[in-house]
Amino acid sequence: MATTSISMRRLFGSTAMTVLFVSLRGNSFSSAFCAPASRENMFRLRSGALFSSTTSSDTTFWRSNQDCWRPDVRDVERISFGQPAKKKGTGSRGIPHRLNEDERRSFDQARRQGFLQVTGSAWRSQRRDAPLLNTYRSLSDARGKPAIVLHKLSPTSSGEHEDKLVVDLSPLRFPDEFDAVGKEVKALIQAEYNLESCVDDVEEGGDVEDDEGLDIEEASDEDQYETRPIYQLPPFQLEWNVSRQEGKIIGKYLAGIFETIEKSASKSKKQRGVKPGKGRRSGGYGIG
């Protein structure tokens, strides 16, 4: 019996897997894995292969409404510094969008990675809201893409991280298609990552901000998605409970499907004449 040993190494992050092939008599052979992979390593192995095999056919189940009211990306950047937008309705005095230094780093990183990572709920007590989530949702609306957010939660009693991955479909502005798109996304995650959504039905609702100056109070539910700014529309969310590593891998996978990665996005530059720590009337954007 002739025996041949071939060592193959495939690197996934910092993990190496060695495969030993032993050839037996005839045409048959057997394979053995040296150093069994852990659950997280196997998840990384599967996700790497699945992510690389994603094709354009995987993205044909969703579309965004381009014939409706949407903010301009540059206007979203302006209100994130506290500057007035050129297009009416982009921001609201009742919905904070100004970002502090830490939030801006996360915002810039999200544009490059295709999904936002926040600590907990991203709530900022000084503003009594979550400016980072508001701004990222407005950016997603301006680009006509779903908002993908990974909420990094505190470790459990066993020391493990159980985070929450959320996908908001409302920026697509096709409410009649939300259910179908949501089912397709959940089916993809279930089939490729063996992970079920943590809620039976997609979550729709939440308080929305009204704006007296837009004169759109009497619009029907369907027309609201044609005319209202995103902060006046309820979120339509899909949620999964994930580990820290799973959340990042699936977030990257969904970013590829929904094409949320901005390859040309650069680090935000402070607008001219904007002074941190001062109010809007003083020409600043504030950090509190």
Side-chain angles (χ1 to χ4, degrees):
M1 178 179 63
T3 302
T4 304
S5 176
I6 304 176
S7 178
M8 302 178 62
R9 297 177 63 87
R10 297 185 61 186
L11 295 177
F12 298 89
S14 59
T15 305
M17 180 178 295
T18 305
V19 186
L20 177 64
F21 292 94
V22 181
S23 62
L24 302 177
R25 290 179 179 177
N27 296 327
S28 62
F29 67 90
S30 62
S31 63
F33 289 90
C34 298
S38 65
R39 175 178 176 272
E40 290 193 350
N41 291 339
M42 288 299 296
F43 189 90
R44 187 186 293 119
L45 169 63
R46 293 179 66 249
S47 64
L50 291 169
F51 185 79
S52 62
S53 63
T54 302
T55 63
S56 59
S57 61
D58 296 326
T59 65
T60 57
F61 65 90
W62 69 275
R63 60 175 181 154
S64 62
N65 188 355
Q66 300 300 323
D67 297 325
C68 63
W69 188 95
R70 288 188 184 277
D72 182 75
V73 173
R74 292 192 177 184
D75 272 347
V76 174
E77 294 173 347
R78 289 188 185 98
I79 64 174
S80 74
F81 282 101
Q83 291 188 326
K86 294 182 178 180
K87 191 174 185 178
K88 186 177 181 180
T90 301
S92 170
R93 293 182 180 179
I95 302 294
H97 289 89
R98 294 179 293 179
L99 304 179
N100 60 26
E101 185 177 352
D102 292 335
E103 291 169 339
R104 187 160 299 283
R105 281 197 295 266
S106 298
F107 180 73
D108 291 340
Q109 183 183 44
R111 299 183 70 173
R112 295 189 298 268
Q113 293 183 342
F115 67 100
L116 178 66
Q117 300 182 51
V118 299
T119 301
S121 63
W123 181 269
R124 184 141 58 93
S125 59
Q126 299 93 330
R127 304 297 298 169
R128 298 181 181 180
D129 206 329
L132 179 56
L133 294 182
N134 296 336
T135 303
Y136 188 68
R137 190 178 183 220
S138 292
L139 175 69
S140 300
D141 184 44
R143 302 184 63 224
K145 312 287 186 181
I148 307 171
V149 182
L150 175 62
H151 294 267
K152 299 179 179 179
L153 307 181
S154 301
T156 61
S157 57
S158 61
E160 297 180 355
H161 290 275
E162 185 170 309
D163 301 337
K164 180 169 291 187
L165 183 65
V166 178
V167 178
D168 182 10
L169 301 179
S170 61
L172 297 180
R173 292 183 178 262
F174 272 127
D176 293 340
E177 300 180 6
F178 287 166
D179 283 326
V181 174
K183 290 179 181 179
E184 184 70 25
V185 173
K186 289 192 290 184
L188 280 174
I189 300 303
Q190 170 65 24
E192 301 190 354
Y193 295 97
N194 194 27
L195 189 66
E196 294 184 357
S197 174
C198 65
V199 289
D200 294 334
D201 299 316
V202 289
E203 180 180 343
E204 181 178 12
D207 298 331
V208 295
E209 180 72 10
D210 204 357
D211 197 320
E212 298 177 356
L214 295 181
D215 192 25
I216 52 179
E217 285 81 357
E218 298 181 358
S220 65
D221 291 340
E222 185 175 351
D223 290 340
Q224 289 180 1
Y225 285 89
E226 299 282 342
T227 57
R228 285 182 180 269
I230 194 67
Y231 55 81
Q232 291 187 351
L233 299 176
F236 195 93
Q237 297 178 338
L238 311 172
E239 300 180 0
W240 293 268
N241 289 327
V242 294
S243 68
R244 183 67 47 83
Q245 183 185 22
E246 289 172 343
K248 292 180 179 180
I249 291 175
I250 299 177
K252 182 179 179 180
Y253 173 74
L254 291 174
I257 288 180
F258 290 113
E259 303 172 356
T260 56
I261 298 175
E262 295 184 63
K263 297 181 179 180
S264 60
S266 58
K267 184 178 179 181
S268 296
K269 295 182 180 180
K270 187 171 63 176
Q271 303 293 318
R272 292 183 179 180
V274 177
K275 301 178 181 179
K278 293 186 176 292
R280 289 185 64 177
R281 293 186 179 181
S282 301
Y285 60 92
I287 57 174

